[in-house]
Amino acid sequence: MRKTMADMGNLWEDLRRQARQLENEIDLKLVSFSKLGTSYSTQRDYESLPLSLNSASPQPEASDTAPLLNKASSEHMFDTMAMEISQLLAKLTEVNDRMVEYTQNISTSSPSAALMHTLQRHRDILQDYSHEFQKTKANITAMREREDLLGSVRRDINAYKNSSSLNRRSDMYLKEHDHIRNSERLVDEQISIAIATKENLQSQGKFLNTINQKVNAFANRFPMINSLVQKINLRKRRDSIILGLVIAVCVILMILFTFH
C-alpha cells in the first residue's frame, strides 16, 4: 500500500514537472511569437510608406529586394513557431488530462484542496496560453491577409502602369474609330433627311404642276386673267429659285459641319 501511494506521489510529481517544463517552453515561445508579430507589423508599416520617404536610400535595388526576403523569412518563421507552439500546447493538454485522471484514480475518498488547487492552476495557465496564442496568431494572420491584398493591388497598379503606353495607344485608336462611326452615322441621318425632303418637294412640285395646268387651261379660256397668271408664274419661279438656293446653302453647311 505504501509503495502504491509512493508510486502515485512520484507520478504526480513527474506530471507536475512535465507541466512546468512545458509551460516554461510555451511561455518563451509565446514571447518570441508576439515579438514576431510586432516586427511583422513594423515591417508592413515600413513597406506601406510613400515612395518619397523611402527614396533617400543610397541603394534602391537592395532596399527593394530586402523587404521581399524579410517577408518570406517572417512567414516561414511564423508557420514554424505556430506549429511548435501548437505541438507544445497539445502536449500540455495531454499532461493536464493525465493529472485529471490522477485526481480521479487516487485511492483516497476525495482529492485534497491543495491537489485540486494545483490542478486548477495548471489548467488556468493552459487556458491563458491557448487564448494568447490564438489571439496573436489571428492578429498576424489578419496582417498577412491584409498585406497580401495590398500587395495584389500594388502588383495590379504596376502592371497597369507598365502596359499604360500600349493601352493608351489602343484607347486612342478605339476613340478615333468611335468618332468615325459617329460621323458616318450623322452623315447617314442627314442624307436620310435630305432624301425625305427631296421626296416631299417632288410631291409638292407635282401638286403645283397639276394646279398650274388647271390655271393655264382656265387662263386660256379667259384672256383677261392671262396677265395675272403670268405674274403668279413669275413669283412662283422666284420663290422656287429662292427655296432652291436656301436648300443648297443648308446642304453645303451641313456637309462642312459634318466633315470638320
Side-chain angles (χ1 to χ4, degrees):
M1 182 67 178
R2 291 180 181 177
K3 184 178 180 180
T4 303
M5 292 296 295
D7 292 338
M8 295 293 289
N10 293 332
L11 177 61
W12 175 255
E13 292 299 328
D14 183 63
L15 292 175
R16 287 190 60 189
R17 184 172 59 256
Q18 294 180 19
R20 286 194 297 268
Q21 182 179 358
L22 290 172
E23 288 169 358
N24 291 331
E25 292 181 6
I26 292 173
D27 185 62
L28 294 175
K29 292 287 186 181
L30 286 177
V31 172
S32 301
F33 196 59
S34 179
K35 291 181 179 179
L36 177 63
T38 303
S39 63
Y40 190 87
S41 177
T42 304
Q43 177 186 348
R44 178 182 60 83
D45 294 337
Y46 173 79
E47 292 176 359
S48 62
L49 289 175
L51 183 60
S52 59
L53 297 180
N54 294 332
S55 60
S57 177
Q59 295 179 355
E61 294 182 357
S63 63
D64 292 339
T65 307
L68 297 178
L69 297 177
N70 292 335
K71 180 180 178 182
S73 177
S74 298
E75 291 180 353
H76 178 70
M77 290 178 61
F78 168 76
D79 295 334
T80 302
M81 294 184 66
M83 182 179 63
E84 292 177 354
I85 295 174
S86 298
Q87 293 175 354
L88 291 175
L89 288 174
K91 291 180 180 179
L92 184 58
T93 302
E94 182 180 357
V95 172
N96 283 349
D97 292 339
R98 292 177 61 187
M99 294 175 71
V100 172
E101 292 178 359
Y102 173 83
T103 59
Q104 294 176 353
N105 295 330
I106 58 176
S107 59
T108 58
S109 58
S110 61
S112 63
L115 193 69
M116 296 303 298
H117 176 73
T118 302
L119 175 61
Q120 185 61 38
R121 184 172 63 85
H122 286 294
R123 296 178 67 179
D124 291 340
I125 292 174
L126 173 62
Q127 185 176 1
D128 292 339
Y129 285 166
S130 299
H131 178 72
E132 183 179 355
F133 170 66
Q134 295 298 332
K135 182 179 178 181
T136 305
K137 182 180 178 181
N139 291 335
I140 298 177
T141 302
M143 287 188 292
R144 289 177 62 182
E145 291 177 353
R146 181 182 177 185
E147 179 62 24
D148 292 339
L149 179 60
L150 294 177
S152 177
V153 173
R154 284 195 292 267
R155 287 192 296 272
D156 292 340
I157 292 174
N158 292 332
Y160 175 78
K161 289 181 178 179
N162 293 331
S163 61
S164 60
S165 58
L166 296 177
N167 291 334
R168 190 180 300 111
R169 182 176 297 178
S170 299
D171 292 339
M172 292 177 62
Y173 289 153
L174 290 175
K175 290 181 180 179
E176 188 66 23
H177 180 67
D178 292 337
H179 290 326
I180 294 174
R181 292 185 61 184
N182 292 331
S183 300
E184 292 178 353
R185 181 174 56 82
L186 291 175
V187 170
D188 292 337
E189 291 179 355
Q190 298 301 327
I191 291 175
S192 299
I193 294 173
I195 292 175
T197 303
K198 178 182 177 181
E199 293 177 351
N200 190 13
L201 291 176
Q202 289 178 352
S203 177
Q204 292 180 2
K206 292 179 181 179
F207 180 73
L208 291 175
N209 288 331
T210 302
I211 295 175
N212 189 19
Q213 292 176 1
K214 292 181 179 180
V215 171
N216 289 330
F218 185 76
N220 292 328
R221 294 181 182 179
F222 300 95
M224 295 179 61
I225 306 177
N226 191 17
S227 60
L228 179 61
V229 172
Q230 290 178 356
K231 292 180 180 180
I232 294 174
N233 290 331
L234 291 174
R235 180 168 293 182
K236 184 180 68 173
R237 289 181 181 177
R238 186 187 64 184
D239 293 339
S240 299
I241 293 171
I242 293 173
L243 180 60
L245 291 174
V246 171
I247 292 174
V249 170
C250 290
V251 172
I252 292 171
L253 291 177
M254 179 177 61
I255 292 173
L256 291 175
F257 176 75
T258 301
F259 289 98
H260 181 65

